[in-house]
Amino acid sequence: MSAKHLKLENKTMDRSMRDLQKSFGHMLAEKVEKMDSFNDTINAEKNALETKLSQLSDVIEYKEQSQENLRKSLSFEQGRVQQLKEDLDSTYEKTFEHIKEYEGRVSTISERLNIQQQQIKARLDASEEEIEGLKKKKSTLR
């Protein structure tokens, strides 16, 4: 081969190499751009999940506080029922006629309190189930 032919072949190879580098550079830039876009999408989804997790934590905290309030209310109502029973016993000792008069009143109040107690217990049970469901949902989101 002649020197002229080698020079020409060398220039052709240099041009091909530059073209290949440009093509590779463009391809690499596209891949980096796609990865950046994918990372942005992942970060957006991560932020959305973290927000949802935070909201669920707030809901769980609220539900637990509500449950505690229901327990206190139930305890208070049970105390009231007990006090009414004690009052009934004391009144019964005083006179038989007072007992007859108060039996009807206490029975009605006791029924109402029992209904309230049942309602509070039902709400407490429902709240506990809801908290368990939210805890499961929270663990699923993690």
Side-chain angles (χ1 to χ4, degrees), residues 81-91:
V81 168
Q82 183 61 33
Q83 184 61 47
L84 285 170
K85 287 178 181 178
E86 290 172 7
D87 290 348
L88 178 62
D89 291 343
S90 172
T91 303

Side-chain angles (χ1 to χ4, degrees), residues 20 26 44-45 62 67 91 94 103 111 123 125 128:
L20 198 61
H26 289 303
E45 288 180 14
Y62 172 78
Q67 188 177 22
T91 303
K94 291 178 183 174
E103 275 181 350
E111 286 175 16
R123 290 191 343 227
D125 291 343
E128 287 174 352

Side-chain angles (χ1 to χ4, degrees), residues 90-107:
S90 172
T91 303
Y92 189 78
E93 291 173 4
K94 291 178 183 174
T95 65
F96 181 74
E97 286 147 14
H98 266 127
I99 291 174
K100 290 292 182 185
E101 181 181 323
Y102 283 107
E103 275 181 350
R105 291 180 187 175
V106 171
S107 175

Side-chain angles (χ1 to χ4, degrees), residues 7 21 23 26 34 38 53 57 62 64 67 69 72 83 87 96 100 102 104 107 112 117 123 125 128 130 135 140:
K7 242 185 179 181
Q21 285 175 340
S23 175
H26 289 303
K34 284 181 182 178
F38 183 68
L53 185 62
S57 293
Y62 172 78
E64 286 173 342
Q67 188 177 22
N69 290 341
K72 288 177 183 177
Q83 184 61 47
D87 290 348
F96 181 74
K100 290 292 182 185
Y102 283 107
S107 175
R112 287 181 187 162
Q117 238 178 342
R123 290 191 343 227
D125 291 343
E128 287 174 352
E130 187 174 350
K135 284 182 180 178
T140 302

Side-chain angles (χ1 to χ4, degrees), residues 32-48:
V32 167
E33 189 176 313
K34 284 181 182 178
M35 284 182 65
D36 287 345
S37 174
F38 183 68
N39 282 338
D40 291 344
T41 301
I42 287 175
N43 285 334
E45 288 180 14
K46 177 185 166 208
N47 290 338

Side-chain angles (χ1 to χ4, degrees), residues 1-10:
M1 284 196 169
S2 68
K4 195 175 188 183
H5 186 40
L6 283 174
K7 242 185 179 181
L8 182 62
E9 192 174 309
N10 201 10

Side-chain angles (χ1 to χ4, degrees), residues 77 111-121:
E77 293 299 327
E111 286 175 16
R112 287 181 187 162
L113 289 175
N114 285 335
I115 290 171
Q116 286 178 347
Q117 238 178 342
Q118 290 171 355
Q119 291 171 342
I120 289 170
K121 283 180 183 179

